[in-house]
């Protein structure tokens, strides 16, 4: 594609109703991406501060997110301290016995509606974490149970 045809193509897009789609994409790039980067940086600093205060904390990674969404609603009736490591999401647990309040939901194609979302919970489970260890938590739809195991 030469430069004249590329300019003609861009001129064609700008002078049609497609210009609003282009403007929306530009707005997302200019506004959403910087805010998301700031949010992720803030979450990282908060996680580092938590680890400074509690170096003995265990890390729990949420697995099985491809099949559905596992949400940690509370830990010992308080807000969870979450973190991100690359694409992995997780939360911190202090050593000892902890009560987690969890919910799990997934979406499937429906018959009468386009999709049907099923949510399990909120459910409270007791888990025991050891100092500075790593764990995985997931939900098994077939057994209808949460799994908490050392990584």
């Amino acid at each position: 594609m030469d430069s004249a045809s590329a300019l003609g193509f861009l001129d064609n897009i700008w002078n049609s109703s497609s210009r609003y789609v282009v403007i929306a994409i530009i707005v997302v790039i200019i506004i959403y991406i910087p805010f998301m980067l700031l949010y992720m940086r803030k979450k990282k600093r908060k996680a580092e501060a938590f680890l400074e205060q509690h170096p003995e904390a265990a890390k729990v990674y949420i697995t099985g997110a491809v099949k559905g969404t596992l949400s940690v609603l509370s830990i010992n009736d308080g807000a969870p301290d979450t973190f991100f490591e690359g694409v992995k999401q997780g939360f911190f647990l202090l050593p000892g016995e902890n009560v987690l309040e969890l919910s799990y939901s997934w979406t499937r194609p429906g018959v009468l509606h386009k999709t049907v979302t099923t949510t399990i919970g909120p459910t409270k489970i007791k888990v025991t974490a050891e100092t500075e260890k790593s764990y995985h938590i997931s939900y098994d739809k077939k057994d209808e149970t949460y799994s908490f195991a050392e990584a």
Side-chain angles (χ1 to χ4, degrees):
M1 182 182 266
D2 62 2
S3 63
S5 62
L7 287 174
F9 177 73
L10 292 175
D11 188 48
N12 215 8
I13 288 176
W14 190 252
N15 292 322
S16 69
S17 61
S18 299
R19 93 175 112 204
Y20 301 111
V21 174
V22 171
I23 291 171
I25 291 170
I26 290 170
V27 166
V28 166
I29 290 171
I30 291 174
I31 295 174
Y32 177 76
I33 292 175
F35 279 110
M36 196 61 185
L37 290 173
L38 289 172
Y39 172 76
M40 295 300 289
R41 190 174 302 146
K42 181 181 173 185
K43 292 288 287 178
K44 185 176 181 180
R45 279 195 296 256
K46 189 175 178 184
E48 288 171 353
F50 182 86
L51 278 178
E52 281 181 27
Q53 288 181 342
H54 306 284
E56 75 282 3
K59 290 183 176 181
V60 182
Y61 297 94
I62 298 172
T63 58
V66 174
K67 300 172 189 169
T69 303
L70 192 147
S71 299
V72 182
L73 306 174
S74 70
I75 300 172
N76 299 324
D77 294 324
D81 292 296
T82 59
F83 66 88
F84 291 96
E85 284 184 0
V87 295
K88 295 179 184 178
Q89 181 183 4
F91 56 94
F92 296 109
L93 280 182
L94 294 177
E97 191 173 272
N98 295 279
V99 177
L100 308 178
E101 186 174 11
L102 309 166
S103 72
Y104 185 79
S105 63
W106 68 93
T107 303
R108 63 173 176 78
V111 177
L112 298 176
H113 303 283
K114 288 187 178 187
T115 59
V116 176
T117 300
T118 305
T119 301
I120 305 297
T123 305
K124 290 190 176 189
I125 64 169
K126 285 185 182 180
V127 297
T128 302
E130 295 181 28
T131 303
E132 296 181 20
K133 291 211 175 177
S134 294
Y135 299 91
H136 292 286
I137 191 163
S138 61
Y139 183 77
D140 186 346
K141 288 193 295 187
K142 189 181 284 185
D143 293 338
E144 297 182 354
T145 59
Y146 289 97
S147 169
F148 182 81
E150 190 172 343

